[in-house]
Amino acid sequence: MSDTSSSVPQKQLPSEGLQLQPMPVINLGHLSLDPTSRSSVVDDIARACRDLGYFQVINHGISQSVMDGAIEAATDFFNLPSETKEEYASDDLQQPVRYDTSSKDSISMSRAFLKHYAHPLCDWLQYWPQQPPIYRQTASHFTLEYMTKYAVEVRGVALKLMEAILEGLGLGKEYMHVKFDEGLQLLSVNCYPKASEGDTTIGLAAHSDYGLLTILLTSCRGLEVVDRSSNSWKVVQQLPHALHVHIGDHMEVLSNGQIKTVVHRAVQNPQEERISIASIHGFALHEKVSSAKELVDEKNPPKYKESSFNDFLEHLTANLDNRKRNFLESLECKGHI
Ligand code: OGA
Ligand code: NI
């Protein structure tokens, strides 16, 4: 199965100390209020997407206990003996579940991760880890718990956000509805050991996420983003009960460059082991994403070639030893069309 990110050249950008990045915070509950409130939230999301490529959402409808349950399931998985976790290890990016510990992918500096698909859940649940039991526990056919419940609920948030982003691009909330509905969801569950000796070190190197949209849940601070205006690293603040949202490479393609993907990395936390769960949302595996024709005209020719998630997996497989060129760069149309 997949990795989910394109490495970017290891730019030597300044880290501006521990300066926190001011964060747009979107109250998602307001999307379902009256039309005026909705359009003001849509405008706020559009602005955050255009100017920064990330924002956080509150009032998203996922309870704290569901978020805590997902972090607990992930923590328990990473606490398993190595032999049990290694059962899920594979170098084959096409595997439906994949565990790995370090830098074979050239961007995991100090990270263990488990990646698996999550939508449609009935197709993928069979591949999820059987240990710990709480990981894929379902209390009954109708009640999901822990990671399963979080996966389903966070996908609901992603669909709401997609509608708002498409509306903000002037495409309308129903745009390509079926492709989003049938799209894939991939969970990238990460564990970064506590930094030693109070030293903060890179856990996951600079990269942008593949897919349209990533929603990130983290147990503590450690995410950093490239701030475009100052071209420096900024620490993302950890707001209570918020989820962090990132624009992915394919959203840049779909919007024909109106919205840009965001380069980010993770640092180890000096106080504690850090767990993060990135939920990546895109079109189905073989479905091509191209620039929306409504956003292409003489003045704005298509900037990127079309591609699917599977094309990305093939790109990664072909460049495992040499990942200098990131995926988005490989899609850029050079010269005039
Ligand atoms: C990722 C990612 C950031 C984090 O999994 O793609 O960027 O904070 N994670 O773990
Ligand atoms: Ni990422």
Side-chain angles (χ1 to χ4, degrees), residues 4-5 111 115 188 190 192 204 207 209 214 216 218 222-223 246 264-266 274 276-278 280:
T4 44
S5 44
R111 154 177 99 140
K115 297 188 185 212
S188 179
N190 306 302
Y192 306 92
L204 176 60
H207 67 282
D209 287 356
T214 299
L216 192 72
T218 64
L223 177 67
H246 267 153
H264 55 283
R265 68 181 182 184
R274 177 167 180 271
S276 72
I277 303 171
I280 290 112

mmCIF file with all atom_site columns, all heavy atoms in Angstrom, residues 4-5 111 115 188 190 192 204 207 209 214 216 218 222-223 246 264-266 274 276-278 280, ligand 1:
data_model
loop_
_atom_site.group_PDB
_atom_site.id
_atom_site.type_symbol
_atom_site.label_atom_id
_atom_site.label_alt_id
_atom_site.label_comp_id
_atom_site.label_asym_id
_atom_site.label_entity_id
_atom_site.label_seq_id
_atom_site.pdbx_PDB_ins_code
_atom_site.Cartn_x
_atom_site.Cartn_y
_atom_site.Cartn_z
_atom_site.occupancy
_atom_site.B_iso_or_equiv
_atom_site.pdbx_formal_charge
_atom_site.auth_seq_id
_atom_site.auth_comp_id
_atom_site.auth_asym_id
_atom_site.auth_atom_id
_atom_site.pdbx_PDB_model_num
ATOM   1   N N   . THR A 1 4   ? 2.091  8.371  1.636  1.00 0.00 ? 4   THR A N   1
ATOM   2   C CA  . THR A 1 4   ? 1.078  9.367  1.334  1.00 0.00 ? 4   THR A CA  1
ATOM   3   C C   . THR A 1 4   ? 1.662  10.733 1.093  1.00 0.00 ? 4   THR A C   1
ATOM   4   O O   . THR A 1 4   ? 0.956  11.715 1.057  1.00 0.00 ? 4   THR A O   1
ATOM   5   C CB  . THR A 1 4   ? 0.114  9.505  2.509  1.00 0.00 ? 4   THR A CB  1
ATOM   6   O OG1 . THR A 1 4   ? 0.890  9.527  3.678  1.00 0.00 ? 4   THR A OG1 1
ATOM   7   C CG2 . THR A 1 4   ? -0.873 8.376  2.527  1.00 0.00 ? 4   THR A CG2 1
ATOM   8   N N   . SER A 1 5   ? 2.947  10.784 0.935  1.00 0.00 ? 5   SER A N   1
ATOM   9   C CA  . SER A 1 5   ? 3.516  12.112 0.869  1.00 0.00 ? 5   SER A CA  1
ATOM   10  C C   . SER A 1 5   ? 4.640  12.176 -0.148 1.00 0.00 ? 5   SER A C   1
ATOM   11  O O   . SER A 1 5   ? 5.310  11.195 -0.413 1.00 0.00 ? 5   SER A O   1
ATOM   12  C CB  . SER A 1 5   ? 4.046  12.470 2.247  1.00 0.00 ? 5   SER A CB  1
ATOM   13  O OG  . SER A 1 5   ? 4.728  11.386 2.785  1.00 0.00 ? 5   SER A OG  1
ATOM   14  N N   . ARG A 1 111 ? 10.569 7.942  13.172 1.00 0.00 ? 111 ARG A N   1
ATOM   15  C CA  . ARG A 1 111 ? 9.122  7.740  13.196 1.00 0.00 ? 111 ARG A CA  1
ATOM   16  C C   . ARG A 1 111 ? 8.831  6.286  12.922 1.00 0.00 ? 111 ARG A C   1
ATOM   17  O O   . ARG A 1 111 ? 9.479  5.664  12.087 1.00 0.00 ? 111 ARG A O   1
ATOM   18  C CB  . ARG A 1 111 ? 8.487  8.630  12.123 1.00 0.00 ? 111 ARG A CB  1
ATOM   19  C CG  . ARG A 1 111 ? 7.169  8.148  11.587 1.00 0.00 ? 111 ARG A CG  1
ATOM   20  C CD  . ARG A 1 111 ? 6.541  9.092  10.579 1.00 0.00 ? 111 ARG A CD  1
ATOM   21  N NE  . ARG A 1 111 ? 6.774  8.682  9.207  1.00 0.00 ? 111 ARG A NE  1
ATOM   22  C CZ  . ARG A 1 111 ? 5.869  8.760  8.233  1.00 0.00 ? 111 ARG A CZ  1
ATOM   23  N NH1 . ARG A 1 111 ? 4.677  9.277  8.463  1.00 0.00 ? 111 ARG A NH1 1
ATOM   24  N NH2 . ARG A 1 111 ? 6.156  8.365  7.016  1.00 0.00 ? 111 ARG A NH2 1
ATOM   25  N N   . LYS A 1 115 ? 0.200  2.372  8.068  1.00 0.00 ? 115 LYS A N   1
ATOM   26  C CA  . LYS A 1 115 ? -0.690 2.990  7.081  1.00 0.00 ? 115 LYS A CA  1
ATOM   27  C C   . LYS A 1 115 ? -1.686 1.961  6.587  1.00 0.00 ? 115 LYS A C   1
ATOM   28  O O   . LYS A 1 115 ? -1.316 0.824  6.301  1.00 0.00 ? 115 LYS A O   1
ATOM   29  C CB  . LYS A 1 115 ? 0.110  3.522  5.893  1.00 0.00 ? 115 LYS A CB  1
ATOM   30  C CG  . LYS A 1 115 ? 1.067  4.627  6.297  1.00 0.00 ? 115 LYS A CG  1
ATOM   31  C CD  . LYS A 1 115 ? 1.717  5.290  5.115  1.00 0.00 ? 115 LYS A CD  1
ATOM   32  C CE  . LYS A 1 115 ? 2.738  6.280  5.612  1.00 0.00 ? 115 LYS A CE  1
ATOM   33  N NZ  . LYS A 1 115 ? 2.907  7.427  4.777  1.00 0.00 ? 115 LYS A NZ  1
ATOM   34  N N   . SER A 1 188 ? -2.745 7.384  8.106  1.00 0.00 ? 188 SER A N   1
ATOM   35  C CA  . SER A 1 188 ? -1.313 7.281  8.356  1.00 0.00 ? 188 SER A CA  1
ATOM   36  C C   . SER A 1 188 ? -1.154 7.553  9.850  1.00 0.00 ? 188 SER A C   1
ATOM   37  O O   . SER A 1 188 ? -1.354 8.663  10.326 1.00 0.00 ? 188 SER A O   1
ATOM   38  C CB  . SER A 1 188 ? -0.598 8.336  7.516  1.00 0.00 ? 188 SER A CB  1
ATOM   39  O OG  . SER A 1 188 ? 0.762  8.284  7.748  1.00 0.00 ? 188 SER A OG  1
ATOM   40  N N   . ASN A 1 190 ? 1.075  7.661  13.085 1.00 0.00 ? 190 ASN A N   1
ATOM   41  C CA  . ASN A 1 190 ? 2.507  7.882  13.329 1.00 0.00 ? 190 ASN A CA  1
ATOM   42  C C   . ASN A 1 190 ? 2.846  7.880  14.813 1.00 0.00 ? 190 ASN A C   1
ATOM   43  O O   . ASN A 1 190 ? 2.051  8.337  15.636 1.00 0.00 ? 190 ASN A O   1
ATOM   44  C CB  . ASN A 1 190 ? 2.927  9.257  12.780 1.00 0.00 ? 190 ASN A CB  1
ATOM   45  C CG  . ASN A 1 190 ? 2.565  9.438  11.329 1.00 0.00 ? 190 ASN A CG  1
ATOM   46  O OD1 . ASN A 1 190 ? 2.982  8.656  10.489 1.00 0.00 ? 190 ASN A OD1 1
ATOM   47  N ND2 . ASN A 1 190 ? 1.761  10.461 11.019 1.00 0.00 ? 190 ASN A ND2 1
ATOM   48  N N   . TYR A 1 192 ? 6.170  9.087  17.207 1.00 0.00 ? 192 TYR A N   1
ATOM   49  C CA  . TYR A 1 192 ? 7.500  9.697  17.309 1.00 0.00 ? 192 TYR A CA  1
ATOM   50  C C   . TYR A 1 192 ? 7.982  9.534  18.744 1.00 0.00 ? 192 TYR A C   1
ATOM   51  O O   . TYR A 1 192 ? 7.309  10.002 19.666 1.00 0.00 ? 192 TYR A O   1
ATOM   52  C CB  . TYR A 1 192 ? 7.437  11.194 16.984 1.00 0.00 ? 192 TYR A CB  1
ATOM   53  C CG  . TYR A 1 192 ? 6.796  11.503 15.654 1.00 0.00 ? 192 TYR A CG  1
ATOM   54  C CD1 . TYR A 1 192 ? 5.422  11.757 15.562 1.00 0.00 ? 192 TYR A CD1 1
ATOM   55  C CD2 . TYR A 1 192 ? 7.549  11.525 14.484 1.00 0.00 ? 192 TYR A CD2 1
ATOM   56  C CE1 . TYR A 1 192 ? 4.826  12.031 14.336 1.00 0.00 ? 192 TYR A CE1 1
ATOM   57  C CE2 . TYR A 1 192 ? 6.963  11.814 13.256 1.00 0.00 ? 192 TYR A CE2 1
ATOM   58  C CZ  . TYR A 1 192 ? 5.597  12.059 13.198 1.00 0.00 ? 192 TYR A CZ  1
ATOM   59  O OH  . TYR A 1 192 ? 5.016  12.330 11.990 1.00 0.00 ? 192 TYR A OH  1
ATOM   60  N N   . LEU A 1 204 ? 9.834  13.575 11.119 1.00 0.00 ? 204 LEU A N   1
ATOM   61  C CA  . LEU A 1 204 ? 9.370  13.373 9.743  1.00 0.00 ? 204 LEU A CA  1
ATOM   62  C C   . LEU A 1 204 ? 9.805  14.597 8.943  1.00 0.00 ? 204 LEU A C   1
ATOM   63  O O   . LEU A 1 204 ? 9.445  15.725 9.289  1.00 0.00 ? 204 LEU A O   1
ATOM   64  C CB  . LEU A 1 204 ? 7.835  13.232 9.750  1.00 0.00 ? 204 LEU A CB  1
ATOM   65  C CG  . LEU A 1 204 ? 7.101  13.113 8.424  1.00 0.00 ? 204 LEU A CG  1
ATOM   66  C CD1 . LEU A 1 204 ? 7.574  11.882 7.651  1.00 0.00 ? 204 LEU A CD1 1
ATOM   67  C CD2 . LEU A 1 204 ? 5.594  13.003 8.669  1.00 0.00 ? 204 LEU A CD2 1
ATOM   68  N N   . HIS A 1 207 ? 7.801  17.634 3.683  1.00 0.00 ? 207 HIS A N   1
ATOM   69  C CA  . HIS A 1 207 ? 7.084  16.985 2.578  1.00 0.00 ? 207 HIS A CA  1
ATOM   70  C C   . HIS A 1 207 ? 5.736  17.667 2.418  1.00 0.00 ? 207 HIS A C   1
ATOM   71  O O   . HIS A 1 207 ? 5.310  18.430 3.286  1.00 0.00 ? 207 HIS A O   1
ATOM   72  C CB  . HIS A 1 207 ? 6.863  15.499 2.881  1.00 0.00 ? 207 HIS A CB  1
ATOM   73  C CG  . HIS A 1 207 ? 5.931  15.278 4.034  1.00 0.00 ? 207 HIS A CG  1
ATOM   74  N ND1 . HIS A 1 207 ? 6.325  15.423 5.346  1.00 0.00 ? 207 HIS A ND1 1
ATOM   75  C CD2 . HIS A 1 207 ? 4.612  14.963 4.077  1.00 0.00 ? 207 HIS A CD2 1
ATOM   76  C CE1 . HIS A 1 207 ? 5.299  15.200 6.146  1.00 0.00 ? 207 HIS A CE1 1
ATOM   77  N NE2 . HIS A 1 207 ? 4.236  14.920 5.395  1.00 0.00 ? 207 HIS A NE2 1
ATOM   78  N N   . ASP A 1 209 ? 1.615  16.553 1.468  1.00 0.00 ? 209 ASP A N   1
ATOM   79  C CA  . ASP A 1 209 ? 0.809  15.328 1.451  1.00 0.00 ? 209 ASP A CA  1
ATOM   80  C C   . ASP A 1 209 ? 0.197  15.136 0.086  1.00 0.00 ? 209 ASP A C   1
ATOM   81  O O   . ASP A 1 209 ? -0.238 16.090 -0.566 1.00 0.00 ? 209 ASP A O   1
ATOM   82  C CB  . ASP A 1 209 ? -0.323 15.398 2.476  1.00 0.00 ? 209 ASP A CB  1
ATOM   83  C CG  . ASP A 1 209 ? 0.202  15.258 3.894  1.00 0.00 ? 209 ASP A CG  1
ATOM   84  O OD1 . ASP A 1 209 ? 1.409  15.028 4.065  1.00 0.00 ? 209 ASP A OD1 1
ATOM   85  O OD2 . ASP A 1 209 ? -0.622 15.383 4.817  1.00 0.00 ? 209 ASP A OD2 1
ATOM   86  N N   . THR A 1 214 ? -5.855 16.556 3.950  1.00 0.00 ? 214 THR A N   1
ATOM   87  C CA  . THR A 1 214 ? -5.456 15.742 5.097  1.00 0.00 ? 214 THR A CA  1
ATOM   88  C C   . THR A 1 214 ? -6.055 16.355 6.357  1.00 0.00 ? 214 THR A C   1
ATOM   89  O O   . THR A 1 214 ? -6.033 17.577 6.526  1.00 0.00 ? 214 THR A O   1
ATOM   90  C CB  . THR A 1 214 ? -3.918 15.743 5.269  1.00 0.00 ? 214 THR A CB  1
ATOM   91  O OG1 . THR A 1 214 ? -3.328 15.188 4.106  1.00 0.00 ? 214 THR A OG1 1
ATOM   92  C CG2 . THR A 1 214 ? -3.480 14.927 6.473  1.00 0.00 ? 214 THR A CG2 1
ATOM   93  N N   . LEU A 1 216 ? -5.547 16.082 10.429 1.00 0.00 ? 216 LEU A N   1
ATOM   94  C CA  . LEU A 1 216 ? -4.554 15.555 11.351 1.00 0.00 ? 216 LEU A CA  1
ATOM   95  C C   . LEU A 1 216 ? -5.015 15.700 12.804 1.00 0.00 ? 216 LEU A C   1
ATOM   96  O O   . LEU A 1 216 ? -5.402 16.783 13.231 1.00 0.00 ? 216 LEU A O   1
ATOM   97  C CB  . LEU A 1 216 ? -3.244 16.339 11.144 1.00 0.00 ? 216 LEU A CB  1
ATOM   98  C CG  . LEU A 1 216 ? -2.000 15.791 11.790 1.00 0.00 ? 216 LEU A CG  1
ATOM   99  C CD1 . LEU A 1 216 ? -1.529 14.520 11.078 1.00 0.00 ? 216 LEU A CD1 1
ATOM   100 C CD2 . LEU A 1 216 ? -0.882 16.822 11.766 1.00 0.00 ? 216 LEU A CD2 1
ATOM   101 N N   . THR A 1 218 ? -3.482 15.034 16.629 1.00 0.00 ? 218 THR A N   1
ATOM   102 C CA  . THR A 1 218 ? -2.191 14.768 17.270 1.00 0.00 ? 218 THR A CA  1
ATOM   103 C C   . THR A 1 218 ? -2.334 14.761 18.789 1.00 0.00 ? 218 THR A C   1
ATOM   104 O O   . THR A 1 218 ? -3.207 15.437 19.342 1.00 0.00 ? 218 THR A O   1
ATOM   105 C CB  . THR A 1 218 ? -1.125 15.827 16.882 1.00 0.00 ? 218 THR A CB  1
ATOM   106 O OG1 . THR A 1 218 ? -1.532 17.092 17.372 1.00 0.00 ? 218 THR A OG1 1
ATOM   107 C CG2 . THR A 1 218 ? -0.937 15.915 15.397 1.00 0.00 ? 218 THR A CG2 1
ATOM   108 N N   . GLY A 1 222 ? 4.111  19.334 17.840 1.00 0.00 ? 222 GLY A N   1
ATOM   109 C CA  . GLY A 1 222 ? 5.238  18.773 17.101 1.00 0.00 ? 222 GLY A CA  1
ATOM   110 C C   . GLY A 1 222 ? 5.160  19.045 15.601 1.00 0.00 ? 222 GLY A C   1
ATOM   111 O O   . GLY A 1 222 ? 6.118  18.830 14.885 1.00 0.00 ? 222 GLY A O   1
ATOM   112 N N   . LEU A 1 223 ? 3.999  19.516 15.138 1.00 0.00 ? 223 LEU A N   1
ATOM   113 C CA  . LEU A 1 223 ? 3.850  19.801 13.707 1.00 0.00 ? 223 LEU A CA  1
ATOM   114 C C   . LEU A 1 223 ? 4.408  21.191 13.390 1.00 0.00 ? 223 LEU A C   1
ATOM   115 O O   . LEU A 1 223 ? 4.174  22.144 14.132 1.00 0.00 ? 223 LEU A O   1
ATOM   116 C CB  . LEU A 1 223 ? 2.361  19.737 13.341 1.00 0.00 ? 223 LEU A CB  1
ATOM   117 C CG  . LEU A 1 223 ? 1.991  20.068 11.898 1.00 0.00 ? 223 LEU A CG  1
ATOM   118 C CD1 . LEU A 1 223 ? 2.533  19.002 10.932 1.00 0.00 ? 223 LEU A CD1 1
ATOM   119 C CD2 . LEU A 1 223 ? 0.479  20.182 11.738 1.00 0.00 ? 223 LEU A CD2 1
ATOM   120 N N   . HIS A 1 246 ? -4.899 20.200 6.255  1.00 0.00 ? 246 HIS A N   1
ATOM   121 C CA  . HIS A 1 246 ? -3.867 20.539 5.275  1.00 0.00 ? 246 HIS A CA  1
ATOM   122 C C   . HIS A 1 246 ? -4.395 20.386 3.870  1.00 0.00 ? 246 HIS A C   1
ATOM   123 O O   . HIS A 1 246 ? -5.047 19.391 3.573  1.00 0.00 ? 246 HIS A O   1
ATOM   124 C CB  . HIS A 1 246 ? -2.737 19.491 5.356  1.00 0.00 ? 246 HIS A CB  1
ATOM   125 C CG  . HIS A 1 246 ? -1.638 19.862 6.252  1.00 0.00 ? 246 HIS A CG  1
ATOM   126 N ND1 . HIS A 1 246 ? -0.863 18.939 6.883  1.00 0.00 ? 246 HIS A ND1 1
ATOM   127 C CD2 . HIS A 1 246 ? -1.159 21.067 6.599  1.00 0.00 ? 246 HIS A CD2 1
ATOM   128 C CE1 . HIS A 1 246 ? 0.040  19.551 7.596  1.00 0.00 ? 246 HIS A CE1 1
ATOM   129 N NE2 . HIS A 1 246 ? -0.117 20.836 7.449  1.00 0.00 ? 246 HIS A NE2 1
ATOM   130 N N   . HIS A 1 264 ? 5.225  20.662 5.165  1.00 0.00 ? 264 HIS A N   1
ATOM   131 C CA  . HIS A 1 264 ? 5.232  20.553 6.622  1.00 0.00 ? 264 HIS A CA  1
ATOM   132 C C   . HIS A 1 264 ? 6.190  19.458 7.076  1.00 0.00 ? 264 HIS A C   1
ATOM   133 O O   . HIS A 1 264 ? 6.692  18.688 6.251  1.00 0.00 ? 264 HIS A O   1
ATOM   134 C CB  . HIS A 1 264 ? 3.807  20.285 7.130  1.00 0.00 ? 264 HIS A CB  1
ATOM   135 C CG  . HIS A 1 264 ? 3.154  19.084 6.503  1.00 0.00 ? 264 HIS A CG  1
ATOM   136 N ND1 . HIS A 1 264 ? 2.626  19.090 5.226  1.00 0.00 ? 264 HIS A ND1 1
ATOM   137 C CD2 . HIS A 1 264 ? 2.977  17.824 6.956  1.00 0.00 ? 264 HIS A CD2 1
ATOM   138 C CE1 . HIS A 1 264 ? 2.138  17.902 4.942  1.00 0.00 ? 264 HIS A CE1 1
ATOM   139 N NE2 . HIS A 1 264 ? 2.340  17.099 5.977  1.00 0.00 ? 264 HIS A NE2 1
ATOM   140 N N   . ARG A 1 265 ? 6.436  19.388 8.362  1.00 0.00 ? 265 ARG A N   1
ATOM   141 C CA  . ARG A 1 265 ? 7.290  18.342 8.934  1.00 0.00 ? 265 ARG A CA  1
ATOM   142 C C   . ARG A 1 265 ? 6.857  18.135 10.383 1.00 0.00 ? 265 ARG A C   1
ATOM   143 O O   . ARG A 1 265 ? 6.068  18.921 10.926 1.00 0.00 ? 265 ARG A O   1
ATOM   144 C CB  . ARG A 1 265 ? 8.767  18.761 8.864  1.00 0.00 ? 265 ARG A CB  1
ATOM   145 C CG  . ARG A 1 265 ? 9.111  19.920 9.766  1.00 0.00 ? 265 ARG A CG  1
ATOM   146 C CD  . ARG A 1 265 ? 10.579 20.324 9.653  1.00 0.00 ? 265 ARG A CD  1
ATOM   147 N NE  . ARG A 1 265 ? 10.889 21.411 10.574 1.00 0.00 ? 265 ARG A NE  1
ATOM   148 C CZ  . ARG A 1 265 ? 12.063 22.012 10.639 1.00 0.00 ? 265 ARG A CZ  1
ATOM   149 N NH1 . ARG A 1 265 ? 13.039 21.671 9.820  1.00 0.00 ? 265 ARG A NH1 1
ATOM   150 N NH2 . ARG A 1 265 ? 12.276 22.984 11.516 1.00 0.00 ? 265 ARG A NH2 1
ATOM   151 N N   . ALA A 1 266 ? 7.387  17.080 10.998 1.00 0.00 ? 266 ALA A N   1
ATOM   152 C CA  . ALA A 1 266 ? 7.065  16.851 12.411 1.00 0.00 ? 266 ALA A CA  1
ATOM   153 C C   . ALA A 1 266 ? 8.368  16.768 13.206 1.00 0.00 ? 266 ALA A C   1
ATOM   154 O O   . ALA A 1 266 ? 9.335  16.160 12.748 1.00 0.00 ? 266 ALA A O   1
ATOM   155 C CB  . ALA A 1 266 ? 6.274  15.564 12.575 1.00 0.00 ? 266 ALA A CB  1
ATOM   156 N N   . ARG A 1 274 ? 5.024  11.064 20.904 1.00 0.00 ? 274 ARG A N   1
ATOM   157 C CA  . ARG A 1 274 ? 3.945  11.782 20.216 1.00 0.00 ? 274 ARG A CA  1
ATOM   158 C C   . ARG A 1 274 ? 3.248  10.856 19.219 1.00 0.00 ? 274 ARG A C   1
ATOM   159 O O   . ARG A 1 274 ? 3.911  10.168 18.436 1.00 0.00 ? 274 ARG A O   1
ATOM   160 C CB  . ARG A 1 274 ? 4.533  12.994 19.487 1.00 0.00 ? 274 ARG A CB  1
ATOM   161 C CG  . ARG A 1 274 ? 3.555  13.778 18.682 1.00 0.00 ? 274 ARG A CG  1
ATOM   162 C CD  . ARG A 1 274 ? 4.156  15.113 18.259 1.00 0.00 ? 274 ARG A CD  1
ATOM   163 N NE  . ARG A 1 274 ? 3.201  15.858 17.480 1.00 0.00 ? 274 ARG A NE  1
ATOM   164 C CZ  . ARG A 1 274 ? 3.080  15.770 16.163 1.00 0.00 ? 274 ARG A CZ  1
ATOM   165 N NH1 . ARG A 1 274 ? 3.873  14.973 15.484 1.00 0.00 ? 274 ARG A NH1 1
ATOM   166 N NH2 . ARG A 1 274 ? 2.173  16.490 15.528 1.00 0.00 ? 274 ARG A NH2 1
ATOM   167 N N   . SER A 1 276 ? 0.369  10.769 16.106 1.00 0.00 ? 276 SER A N   1
ATOM   168 C CA  . SER A 1 276 ? -0.480 11.571 15.229 1.00 0.00 ? 276 SER A CA  1
ATOM   169 C C   . SER A 1 276 ? -1.212 10.640 14.267 1.00 0.00 ? 276 SER A C   1
ATOM   170 O O   . SER A 1 276 ? -0.703 9.563  13.930 1.00 0.00 ? 276 SER A O   1
ATOM   171 C CB  . SER A 1 276 ? 0.340  12.611 14.462 1.00 0.00 ? 276 SER A CB  1
ATOM   172 O OG  . SER A 1 276 ? 1.112  11.985 13.474 1.00 0.00 ? 276 SER A OG  1
ATOM   173 N N   . ILE A 1 277 ? -2.401 11.048 13.877 1.00 0.00 ? 277 ILE A N   1
ATOM   174 C CA  . ILE A 1 277 ? -3.195 10.257 12.932 1.00 0.00 ? 277 ILE A CA  1
ATOM   175 C C   . ILE A 1 277 ? -3.577 11.183 11.784 1.00 0.00 ? 277 ILE A C   1
ATOM   176 O O   . ILE A 1 277 ? -4.363 12.123 11.961 1.00 0.00 ? 277 ILE A O   1
ATOM   177 C CB  . ILE A 1 277 ? -4.459 9.686  13.605 1.00 0.00 ? 277 ILE A CB  1
ATOM   178 C CG1 . ILE A 1 277 ? -4.064 8.842  14.832 1.00 0.00 ? 277 ILE A CG1 1
ATOM   179 C CG2 . ILE A 1 277 ? -5.271 8.849  12.609 1.00 0.00 ? 277 ILE A CG2 1
ATOM   180 C CD1 . ILE A 1 277 ? -5.228 8.412  15.702 1.00 0.00 ? 277 ILE A CD1 1
ATOM   181 N N   . ALA A 1 278 ? -2.971 10.938 10.613 1.00 0.00 ? 278 ALA A N   1
ATOM   182 C CA  . ALA A 1 278 ? -3.295 11.749 9.434  1.00 0.00 ? 278 ALA A CA  1
ATOM   183 C C   . ALA A 1 278 ? -4.314 10.975 8.609  1.00 0.00 ? 278 ALA A C   1
ATOM   184 O O   . ALA A 1 278 ? -4.072 9.830  8.227  1.00 0.00 ? 278 ALA A O   1
ATOM   185 C CB  . ALA A 1 278 ? -2.032 12.006 8.622  1.00 0.00 ? 278 ALA A CB  1
ATOM   186 N N   . ILE A 1 280 ? -6.043 10.895 5.150  1.00 0.00 ? 280 ILE A N   1
ATOM   187 C CA  . ILE A 1 280 ? -5.824 11.476 3.818  1.00 0.00 ? 280 ILE A CA  1
ATOM   188 C C   . ILE A 1 280 ? -7.003 11.133 2.919  1.00 0.00 ? 280 ILE A C   1
ATOM   189 O O   . ILE A 1 280 ? -7.407 9.971  2.846  1.00 0.00 ? 280 ILE A O   1
ATOM   190 C CB  . ILE A 1 280 ? -4.493 10.951 3.229  1.00 0.00 ? 280 ILE A CB  1
ATOM   191 C CG1 . ILE A 1 280 ? -3.321 11.564 4.005  1.00 0.00 ? 280 ILE A CG1 1
ATOM   192 C CG2 . ILE A 1 280 ? -4.332 11.302 1.757  1.00 0.00 ? 280 ILE A CG2 1
ATOM   193 C CD1 . ILE A 1 280 ? -2.561 10.611 4.796  1.00 0.00 ? 280 ILE A CD1 1
HETATM 194 C C1  . OGA B 2 .   ? 1.959  12.866 7.711  1.00 0.00 ? 1   OGA B C1  1
HETATM 195 C C2  . OGA B 2 .   ? 2.318  14.042 8.541  1.00 0.00 ? 1   OGA B C2  1
HETATM 196 C C3  . OGA B 2 .   ? 2.548  15.130 10.652 1.00 0.00 ? 1   OGA B C3  1
HETATM 197 C C4  . OGA B 2 .   ? 2.586  14.815 12.100 1.00 0.00 ? 1   OGA B C4  1
HETATM 198 O O1  . OGA B 2 .   ? 1.668  11.797 8.296  1.00 0.00 ? 1   OGA B O1  1
HETATM 199 O O2  . OGA B 2 .   ? 1.930  13.024 6.477  1.00 0.00 ? 1   OGA B O2  1
HETATM 200 O O3  . OGA B 2 .   ? 2.648  15.044 7.977  1.00 0.00 ? 1   OGA B O3  1
HETATM 201 O O4  . OGA B 2 .   ? 2.466  15.754 12.876 1.00 0.00 ? 1   OGA B O4  1
HETATM 202 N N1  . OGA B 2 .   ? 2.261  13.977 9.863  1.00 0.00 ? 1   OGA B N1  1
HETATM 203 O O5  . OGA B 2 .   ? 2.777  13.644 12.429 1.00 0.00 ? 1   OGA B O5  1
#
